[in-house]
């Protein structure tokens, strides 16, 4: 081959029926496309008819022009899709001119359209038992995704997977709920632990009764050790931020029980949910009931609390935020408070309700001051994006520990409502049929968005399971908790009631939906829920499955779809905990603070975590006639004791004036609150 002849590029030959497609490409561009057939001669096959495409026309060329072009090509390639016979014929023809060709793997879809797309082993994607290029594969997947109504987050994920596993069908199968673990696995949160000098329970300087009970553990867990080494037992206020299942409860317990046993004031252990309060109450009663009086306070907001079971003189009060706030707003005497533990303190940032916790903390501080209590404050959370800032606002020392005791594998797969239950069934069975190295069967918590769906899913699981939500009575819930603890249930199916803190020893968490009622989960809520998977004393690892229905929403007010939400949550950054005040929230908290502290209310407002427009709120309170000077009016008092927002209060007043049936009214108010 002479050097002075210009290189025309790569000549590509591909069998198409009785003839061959000819493509010449240089620098990624197609210079020529044509068709060639071969004729048999005594010397072997030789170029016969040769036509070149020019726009829509096929322009005939002399066969010698093909040979000339082949001679000037820098390389000649025969597509892999060419039959052995065709290949032999081409090679024999080229051999007649001392030309050689190599076989090349090319995209079949491209070559069927006369395009030349060579594939390397890295870029080739399997489809229908052949190989295609990423562009064609993407296009195919796109078609499937359009058909399923998939949105961007999920599309990106599927494309990522496509390039990763190089198999179109396998990835597309994911859209019909197949559980290919290599594909569903999104990531793994590892369990590496920092080097922390663990405190031996024998060395703890605590009351003998507490110490003897702690001997069931040899050592404190890392975050507990950190808290103790930083003054937990010397009365320091602490904000403890560490992942779920890292043992935060015991931090509060160490300080609070010790002080209660020493007669240094009672322990108030405050949680956001009734289910959680029940569990903590049971735990404390069981562990310390013989040496301390334990009581529970879970005042419902609307229906008058008759104070049943609640003993304000107890040494340990477990309560919901609202239960205790109700006690404060109605001026109950809770005696000498030695320790306040606020569990799940990230609720300060909850939409709608964050201000109530903010207000409660401020009112409780006021109570402790006016009753001359020397109170230690301990705040616990797994999910705070702005821990140092929050610690400063709370005036507490930050104790942070980042790692998890067991690794968690997170999986995502796609399915519609009915397919989801089949998948859940499979996953629940698989978990329950296997045992951890510690001898425990794998148990599952399924989270879903409505009570009705809890029952539906539970009914359709083959293995023993139970629904669990706030609509069940206390006895029913206790029974489920016990059965789960005894490994008699393979699964519980639950709503948000279990989101935080309840210690169900599950190895697996399945998200049947990513909504709570008619709202998508926040990153915080999501983290809390998935953190239920894998307990250090039971399991070697946790497993999390997100079952995502493409293009699904649970209410027409939802702008994003479930597949979008899924990837937002998986990649989600922990949100900062910020308490925001709109007018309603400001009015509500200011009224409560005035009810509790009169003139002192401004100081209570000022030390809240969120910025509250006090002046404006006071103006509104006067306008609404909820206050008179710095005292609540009888109306204002009723409003605050029932945790009403002004709008609700006026709706009630209105209804009462019109003579609406009180039961209908209550029902309507409760409906507003439904999760
Ligand atoms: N020192 C210890 N040694 C061994 N296990 C412990 C120790 N302290 C606590 N545990 C166990 O660790 C588990 C998790 O504890 P806990 O419920 O307090 O976690 P948490 O940090 O509050 O998690 P969450 O954020 O989910 O509420 C419990 O089963 C508890 O019994
Ligand atoms: Mg907890």
């Amino acid at each position: 081959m002479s050097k002075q002849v210009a290189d025309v590029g790569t000549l590509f030959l591909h069998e198409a029926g009785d003839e061959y497609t000819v493509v010449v490409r240089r620098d990624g561009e197609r210079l020529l496309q044509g068709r060639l057939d071969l004729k048999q001669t005594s010397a072997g096959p030789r170029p016969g008819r040769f036509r070149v495409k020019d726009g829509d026309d096929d322009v005939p060329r002399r066969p010698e022009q093909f040979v000339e072009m082949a001679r000037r090509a820098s390389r000649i390639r025969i597509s892999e899709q060419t039959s052995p016979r065709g290949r032999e014929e081409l090679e024999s023809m080229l051999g007649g001119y001392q030309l050689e060709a190599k076989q090349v793997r090319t995209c079949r879809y491209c070559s069927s359209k006369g395009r030349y797309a060579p594939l390397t082993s890295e870029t080739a994607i399997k489809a229908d038992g052949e190989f295609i290029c990423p562009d064609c594969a993407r296009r195919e997947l796109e078609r499937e995704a359009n058909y399923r109504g998939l949105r961007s987050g999920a599309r990106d994920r599927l494309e990522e997977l496509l390039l990763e596993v190089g198999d179109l069908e396998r990835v597309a199968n994911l859209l019909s709920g197949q559980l290919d673990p290599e594909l569903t696995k999104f990531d793994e949160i590892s369990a590496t632990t920092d080097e922390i000098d663990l405190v031996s329970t024998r060395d703890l300087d605590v009351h003998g009764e507490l110490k003897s009970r702690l001997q069931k553990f040899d050592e404190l867990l890392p975050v507990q050790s950190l808290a103790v080494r930083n003054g937990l037992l010397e009365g320091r206020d602490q904000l403890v931020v560490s992942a779920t299942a890292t043992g935060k409860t015991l931090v509060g317990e160490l300080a609070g029980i010790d002080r209660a046993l020493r007669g240094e004031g009672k322990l108030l252990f405050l949680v956001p949910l009734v289910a959680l309060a029940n569990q903590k109450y049971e735990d404390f009663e069981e562990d310390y009931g013989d040496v301390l009086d334990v009581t529970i306070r879970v005042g419902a907001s609307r229906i008058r609390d008759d104070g049943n079971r609640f003993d304000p003189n107890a040494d340990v009060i477990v309560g919901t935020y609202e239960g205790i706030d109700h006690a404060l707003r109605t001026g109950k005497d809770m005696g000498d408070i030695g320790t306040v533990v606020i569990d799940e303190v990230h609720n300060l940032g909850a939409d709608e309700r964050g201000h109530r916790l903010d207000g409660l903390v401020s009112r409780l501080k006021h109570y402790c001051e006016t009753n001359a209590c020397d109170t230690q404050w301990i705040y616990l959370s797994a999910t705070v994006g702005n821990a140092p800032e929050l610690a400063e606002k709370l005036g507490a020392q930050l104790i942070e520990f980042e790692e998890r005791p067991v690794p968690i594998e997170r999986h995502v797969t796609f399915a519609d409502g009915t397919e989801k239950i089949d998948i859940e069934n499979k996953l629940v069975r698989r978990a329950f049929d296997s045992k951890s190295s510690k001898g425990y069967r794998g148990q599952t918590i399924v989270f879903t968005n409505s009570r009705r769906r809890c029952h539906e899913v539970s009914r359709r699981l083959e293995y023993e399971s139970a629904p669990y939500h706030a609509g069940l009575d206390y006895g029913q819930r206790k029974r489920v908790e016990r059965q789960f603890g005894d490994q008699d249930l393979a699964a519980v199916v639950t709503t948000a009631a279990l989101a935080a803190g309840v210690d169900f020893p599950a190895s697996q968490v399945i998200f049947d939906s990513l909504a709570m009622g008619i709202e998508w989960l926040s990153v915080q809520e999501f983290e809390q829920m998935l953190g239920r998977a894998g307990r250090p004393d039971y399991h070697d690892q946790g497993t999390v499955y997100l079952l995502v229905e493409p293009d699904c929403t649970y209410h027409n007010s939802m702008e994003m779809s479930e597949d979008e939400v899924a990837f937002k949550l998986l990649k989600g950054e922990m949100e900062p905990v910020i308490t925001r005040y709109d007018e309603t929230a400001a009015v509500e908290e200011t009224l409560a603070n005035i009810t509790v502290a009169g003139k002192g209310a401004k100081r209570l407002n000022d030390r809240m975590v969120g910025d509250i427009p006090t002046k404006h709120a006071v103006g509104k309170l006067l306008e609404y006639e909820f206050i008179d000077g710095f005292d609540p009016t009888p109306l204002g008092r009723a409003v605050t004791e029932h945790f009403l927002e002004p709008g609700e209060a006026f709706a009630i007043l209105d209804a009462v004036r019109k003579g609406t049936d009180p039961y209908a009214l209550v029902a309507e108010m409760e409906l507003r609150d439904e999760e």
Side-chain angles (χ1 to χ4, degrees):
M1 247 175 293
S2 56
K3 285 237 158 107
Q4 53 270 52
V5 182
D7 162 24
V8 297
T10 302
L11 176 71
F12 166 70
L13 297 164
H14 166 69
E15 191 174 29
D18 300 338
E19 28 175 50
Y20 298 92
T21 309
V22 179
V23 174
V24 176
R25 288 176 73 93
R26 195 174 57 199
D27 304 331
E29 258 181 85
R30 187 166 68 194
L31 301 183
L32 172 146
Q33 184 180 353
R35 283 186 292 159
L36 174 75
D37 64 15
L38 298 184
K39 64 178 187 218
Q40 299 304 323
T41 71
S42 54
R46 288 291 178 268
R49 231 149 48 106
F50 180 40
R51 282 158 301 162
V52 170
K53 243 188 165 45
D54 183 2
D56 287 340
D57 299 329
D58 272 344
V59 184
R61 294 284 174 86
R62 285 179 298 111
E64 292 74 27
Q65 281 183 303
F66 170 80
V67 177
E68 181 61 15
M69 213 171 57
R71 285 201 162 119
R72 286 169 52 192
S74 52
R75 25 178 203 271
I76 303 176
R77 296 288 182 260
I78 300 173
S79 87
E80 195 186 44
Q81 284 79 25
T82 298
S83 70
R85 195 199 58 78
R87 190 174 160 189
E88 198 181 306
E89 190 178 50
L90 283 173
E91 280 174 349
S92 156
M93 178 272 287
L94 292 167
Y97 307 99
Q98 284 80 49
L99 293 170
E100 273 183 17
K102 274 196 190 142
Q103 179 172 304
V104 64
R105 184 180 268 190
T106 58
C107 171
R108 198 190 47 83
Y109 290 10
C110 285
S111 49
S112 73
K113 291 186 191 115
R115 286 196 305 259
Y116 170 53
L119 299 173
T120 63
S121 51
E122 282 102 72
T123 58
I125 289 176
K126 224 161 96 193
D128 287 338
E130 291 178 279
F131 287 96
I132 62 176
C133 67
D135 284 343
C136 287
R138 246 185 239 126
R139 215 168 297 123
E140 289 299 303
L141 192 64
E142 195 82 343
R143 269 223 309 255
E144 186 73 25
N146 283 340
Y147 173 68
R148 295 256 174 186
L150 223 59
R151 302 217 204 152
S152 60
R155 273 172 202 258
D156 295 349
R157 172 67 186 155
L158 287 178
E159 245 180 55
E160 225 176 271
L161 282 173
L162 187 66
L163 300 182
E164 218 174 280
V165 304
D167 188 330
L168 179 63
E169 230 159 294
R170 262 178 83 193
V171 175
N173 277 343
L174 204 57
L175 285 173
S176 51
Q178 283 210 359
L179 290 180
D180 186 336
E182 204 187 315
L183 293 191
T184 57
K185 181 162 161 185
F186 181 79
D187 63 3
E188 182 168 331
I189 311 172
S190 66
T192 45
T193 19
D194 283 349
E195 280 300 314
I196 283 173
D197 200 1
L198 299 180
V199 173
S200 154
T201 50
R202 261 171 300 137
D203 300 342
L204 280 172
D205 180 19
V206 290
H207 191 279
E209 294 287 359
L210 175 57
K211 194 161 175 168
S212 65
R213 284 165 178 75
L214 288 173
Q215 297 315 307
K216 62 181 170 189
F217 304 131
D218 294 338
E219 290 174 325
L220 293 184
L221 293 171
V223 75
Q224 298 162 349
S225 301
L226 279 176
V228 167
R229 291 198 191 284
N230 284 284
L232 176 72
L233 299 172
E234 284 92 60
R236 281 195 85 161
D237 295 349
Q238 295 184 335
L239 166 63
V240 181
V241 178
S242 70
T244 48
T246 49
K248 293 184 291 295
T249 312
L250 191 67
V251 175
E253 220 171 305
L254 281 173
I257 299 288
D258 185 48
R259 296 186 72 143
L261 286 167
R262 291 174 194 260
E264 293 171 6
K266 67 184 63 186
L267 163 63
L268 233 58
F269 197 103
L270 305 188
V271 298
L273 301 163
V274 176
L276 203 49
N278 284 331
Q279 171 152 16
K280 296 287 182 223
Y281 167 71
E282 290 277 306
D283 291 350
F284 287 145
E285 178 66 43
E286 189 178 319
D287 290 345
Y288 309 108
D290 54 339
V291 286
L292 294 171
D293 288 333
V294 182
T295 192
I296 183 166
R297 167 95 189 181
V298 287
S301 54
R302 307 253 177 259
I303 289 134
R304 189 177 280 280
D305 174 18
D306 59 9
N308 217 358
R309 292 204 291 158
F310 175 60
D311 166 15
N313 297 315
D315 306 303
V316 178
I317 300 175
V318 177
T320 55
Y321 304 154
E322 276 202 343
I324 296 303
D325 203 2
H326 187 255
L328 289 170
R329 291 181 190 207
T330 51
K332 291 234 163 36
D333 181 6
M334 287 185 287
D336 181 20
I337 299 177
T339 317
V340 177
V341 177
I342 309 276
D343 200 4
E344 318 288 347
V345 70
H346 51 269
N347 279 292
L348 278 170
D351 296 346
E352 321 268 319
R353 275 183 248 184
H355 63 89
R356 292 216 174 134
L357 177 55
D358 195 13
L360 162 64
V361 170
S362 190
R363 288 186 280 281
L364 201 47
K365 284 193 170 155
H366 171 76
Y367 172 94
C368 292
E369 284 160 13
T370 48
N371 289 278
C373 314
D374 172 24
T375 313
Q376 179 177 4
W377 289 77
I378 297 169
Y379 310 91
L380 310 175
S381 176
T383 49
V384 179
N386 56 340
E389 186 193 339
L390 185 64
E392 198 188 316
K393 284 192 174 158
L394 291 169
Q397 178 194 24
L398 177 61
I399 304 291
E400 219 175 351
F401 177 70
E402 301 231 11
E403 314 299 346
R404 280 198 58 85
V406 296
I408 291 189
E409 254 188 43
R410 303 196 297 177
H411 293 258
V412 194
T413 193
F414 302 92
D416 67 25
T418 40
E419 289 165 342
K420 281 182 178 182
I421 300 186
D422 295 336
I423 296 175
E424 283 151 12
N425 197 29
K426 245 189 254 175
L427 291 172
V428 165
R429 279 189 351 223
R430 190 174 73 187
F432 205 61
D433 286 344
S434 62
K435 268 193 186 165
S436 73
S437 66
K438 287 143 192 149
Y440 289 92
R441 285 169 174 281
Q443 288 169 284
T444 303
I445 300 175
V446 181
F447 284 108
T448 190
N449 69 320
S450 75
R451 294 173 184 182
R452 192 198 307 163
R453 177 88 176 161
C454 281
H455 288 269
E456 183 190 350
V457 172
S458 173
R459 207 171 36 242
R460 299 201 14 215
L461 293 178
E462 286 166 45
Y463 281 14
E464 214 50 38
S465 75
Y468 183 98
H469 54 71
L472 301 174
D473 69 36
Y474 180 73
Q476 288 170 312
R477 285 204 302 258
K478 283 319 299 177
R479 193 169 62 240
V480 175
E481 286 167 25
R482 203 178 42 248
Q483 287 176 326
F484 199 87
D486 292 345
Q487 295 239 300
D488 291 337
L489 292 177
V492 286
V493 189
T494 185
T495 59
L498 263 188
V502 177
D503 187 25
F504 271 81
S507 61
Q508 178 168 259
V509 163
I510 302 177
F511 289 89
D512 177 69
S513 92
L514 295 175
M516 213 193 258
I518 58 162
E519 300 212 33
W520 294 122
L521 299 178
S522 68
V523 177
Q524 249 106 350
E525 289 159 343
F526 175 67
E527 294 282 332
Q528 285 286 353
M529 291 171 157
L530 78 83
R532 312 282 105 215
R535 291 308 216 187
D537 32 0
Y538 293 82
H539 310 116
D540 309 307
Q541 85 155 24
T543 315
V544 171
Y545 271 87
L546 278 68
L547 309 187
V548 175
E549 180 167 355
D551 207 21
C552 160
T553 59
Y554 295 92
H555 190 261
N556 53 22
S557 65
M558 293 171 137
E559 277 167 25
M560 290 172 91
S561 68
E562 195 162 58
D563 48 319
E564 285 176 296
V565 170
F567 293 93
K568 180 193 138 229
L569 291 177
L570 284 165
K571 292 175 185 164
E573 290 282 311
M574 202 75 86
E575 292 140 43
V577 171
I578 298 166
T579 317
R580 294 206 165 78
Y581 283 90
D582 57 12
E583 182 184 296
T584 308
V587 164
E588 215 187 308
E589 295 319 313
T590 306
L591 177 60
N593 285 346
I594 288 174
T595 307
V596 168
K599 264 204 182 63
K602 174 147 176 27
R603 217 167 52 81
L604 268 65
N605 273 17
D606 287 347
R607 71 164 161 223
M608 304 225 273
V609 166
D611 286 328
I612 171 166
T614 304
K615 238 193 177 144
H616 179 76
V618 170
K620 284 285 159 192
L621 288 170
L622 289 166
E623 180 190 326
Y624 295 156
E625 297 181 6
F626 286 174
I627 56 171
D628 180 10
F630 278 100
D631 286 316
T633 59
L635 172 62
R637 199 172 284 281
V639 166
T640 206
E641 284 179 8
H642 292 87
F643 292 75
L644 297 175
E645 290 174 1
E648 294 174 313
F650 293 124
I652 293 177
L653 279 178
D654 211 39
V656 170
R657 284 195 197 107
K658 282 193 200 128
T660 308
D661 172 31
Y663 285 107
L665 183 59
V666 169
E668 202 225 322
M669 302 306 298
E670 290 296 321
L671 268 182
R672 287 191 187 206
D673 275 0
E674 268 293 294
E675 7 106 287

